[in-house]
Amino acid sequence: MTTITPWEVKGNVDYDKLIKEFGVSRIDDALIKRLERHSKNLHCLVRRKIFFAHRDLDFILDQYEKGNEFFLYTGRAPSGNTHIGHLIPWMLTKWLQDVFDVELWFQFPDEEKFLFRDDLTLEETEKYTYENMLDVIALGFKPGKTFFLIDTKHAGIMYKEALKVSKKITFSTVKSSFGFTNEQNIGAIFYTAMQAVPSFLPSVLHKKKMPCLIPHAIDQDPHFRVTRDVISKIGYYKPASIQCRFLPGLGGMDSDGKMSSSSGDNATIFTTDDAKTVKSKINKYAFSGGQATLEEHRKLGGNPDIDVSYIWLTFLEEDDRKLEEIYEAYRKGRMLSGELKALLIEKLNSFLAKHQQSREKARKNIDKFIFKV
Ligand code: TRP
């Protein structure tokens, strides 16, 4: 069985079915062309349709082309260290900020995982908020144009807006949108109102109606479906969104649709893992599409489409030509599983070496990013 909610992703994800079920639109070639007009160098996550769906992205471009500036909004509910899967939507967000030179509002709802899980205290989520902020800053977002909102710290400005949202959402809407039962705690029932707030808070603060674009992994869509219904009733633009697939866990596609840090440290590469750990995790745990023996592999070739190392490279290797060559060499049996893994290890470790350096530097810059009321 496949389950996809903002709190749980299990099973094989059928993205075509999701498009229908969620009612999002596919990002088609025409829309990609339109993005290309604004940036000659399309991000590989767009080119490869890893960002595969959207709501109202055309509206955002219409507005932008008319000179009505939009802002970006995304977020992370602190619950543990950041892993590579978390970075995917943030990488695209960074690219969008560079291309359109717009503000980014980044939410850290430090109450979310506290409310939805039994094993986290607010003190722990606070610690992870700090750790997660380092990863966001390390990606290179623009200081002065990037604003962190931490729910418990910015409650003074956020709560008032959340109230306006919450008054328009009934318990039965939340139940059907998120699959809640009567046993759900009332903090969790209210939570979606807090996640709605950053999609219009900049309009409140700048005292003008601004369009909002939210890059996020597809599991967050139920929140923004609710937000979109409510928000026009309180006088703001419905937020637009652009949605990506999940980076699979190392164990492969069907055991784990989304790379989750709760399904064990071995299914995951954390941004703080050292080079040795990365090497041994990939070698030990990355699901291989190769054949059982060397002879068979040379004769029959591997299957890159189910090979986690290859799939990870489609998220991380920017060079299309190189990726194609790997695909062919592996499929024809010229490249072995170990060689493919070595390419991924090298890619991850060179990325992480830089990332970890920027992450350390970020410690002294946190204050520049936290929104000052
Ligand atoms: N609910 C998200 C999580 O579990 C955090 C989040 C808050 C978010 N606002 C967002 C994610 C906007 C994407 C876009 O991590």
Side-chain angles (χ1 to χ4, degrees), residues 315-372:
F315 283 75
L316 300 169
E317 172 55 64
E318 281 156 36
D319 186 339
D320 289 345
R321 276 253 314 277
K322 198 161 161 194
L323 200 61
E324 245 170 72
E325 281 165 21
I326 297 170
Y327 189 92
E328 280 308 300
Y330 194 60
R331 208 174 55 83
K332 301 231 168 82
R334 270 186 280 122
M335 182 181 283
L336 302 175
S337 266
E339 292 166 332
L340 176 55
K341 286 187 175 197
L343 289 175
L344 176 62
I345 292 165
E346 189 193 298
K347 188 88 213 163
L348 283 169
N349 280 339
S350 71
F351 169 78
L352 286 177
K354 276 196 223 102
H355 185 80
Q356 287 166 5
Q357 258 185 11
S358 320
R359 205 177 175 277
E360 283 314 303
K361 285 200 201 116
R363 288 183 198 279
K364 53 178 191 310
N365 292 327
I366 284 197
D367 212 44
K368 289 188 198 140
F369 287 87
I370 295 176
F371 178 64
K372 308 284 177 316

Side-chain angles (χ1 to χ4, degrees), residues 73-77 107 109 112-113 191 195 214-216 220 224:
Y73 159 38
T74 194
R76 154 87 174 134
Q107 180 179 33
E112 180 182 353
K113 296 293 160 70
Y191 171 72
Q195 188 158 326
I214 313 173
H216 65 83
Q220 296 297 311
F224 300 121

Side-chain angles (χ1 to χ4, degrees), residues 125-140:
T125 62
E126 199 174 330
K127 182 190 104 194
Y128 289 127
T129 304
Y130 177 78
E131 291 299 319
N132 295 169
M133 286 193 292
L134 298 178
D135 289 299
V136 175
I137 296 170
L139 290 182

Side-chain angles (χ1 to χ4, degrees), residues 117-313:
R117 280 168 45 169
D118 295 327
D119 58 341
L120 277 172
T121 63
L122 279 172
E123 288 68 34
E124 284 165 328
T125 62
E126 199 174 330
K127 182 190 104 194
Y128 289 127
T129 304
Y130 177 78
E131 291 299 319
N132 295 169
M133 286 193 292
L134 298 178
D135 289 299
V136 175
I137 296 170
L139 290 182
F141 290 104
K142 296 183 178 165
K145 279 213 157 183
T146 304
F147 307 102
F148 292 174
L149 292 169
I150 304 157
D151 286 15
T152 62
K153 302 223 165 25
H154 292 94
I157 48 169
M158 295 180 74
Y159 184 57
K160 189 172 159 191
E161 305 308 323
L163 286 175
K164 297 177 197 166
V165 173
S166 69
K167 196 174 176 183
K168 305 280 185 214
I169 306 176
T170 63
F171 184 27
S172 83
T173 295
V174 172
K175 268 180 162 171
S176 66
S177 303
F178 302 108
F180 293 167
T181 62
N182 284 346
E183 281 61 52
Q184 192 59 253
N185 73 63
I186 62 173
I189 295 166
F190 181 78
Y191 171 72
T192 195
M194 288 300 281
Q195 188 158 326
V197 169
S199 66
F200 65 99
L201 188 65
S203 299
V204 176
L205 297 170
H206 294 305
K207 297 193 174 65
K208 65 171 185 200
K209 247 168 82 167
M210 292 174 77
C212 166
L213 175 63
I214 313 173
H216 65 83
I218 186 77
D219 60 325
Q220 296 297 311
D221 185 64
H223 282 297
F224 300 121
R225 241 179 288 157
V226 175
T227 303
R228 284 167 57 87
D229 276 348
V230 171
I231 205 166
S232 41
K233 296 182 193 150
I234 60 174
Y236 300 100
Y237 293 121
K238 290 182 181 192
S241 54
I242 163 166
Q243 290 113 7
C244 63
R245 301 163 188 268
F246 305 115
L247 181 73
L250 292 180
M253 296 293 250
D254 18 54
S255 59
D256 193 4
K258 171 183 171 183
M259 177 167 164
S260 160
S261 18
S262 32
S263 66
D265 290 0
N266 292 332
T268 316
I269 301 290
F270 292 102
T271 59
T272 45
D273 281 348
D274 62 25
K276 239 179 82 196
T277 308
V278 170
K279 185 172 176 191
S280 89
K281 278 188 186 173
I282 300 298
N283 280 331
K284 261 206 203 128
Y285 302 107
F287 181 81
S288 163
Q291 304 294 343
T293 65
L294 182 75
E295 293 82 70
E296 275 180 60
H297 191 89
R298 291 283 188 222
K299 199 163 94 202
L300 304 169
N303 182 355
D305 297 317
I306 59 162
D307 190 292
V308 168
S309 301
Y310 178 77
I311 295 167
W312 275 42
L313 284 171

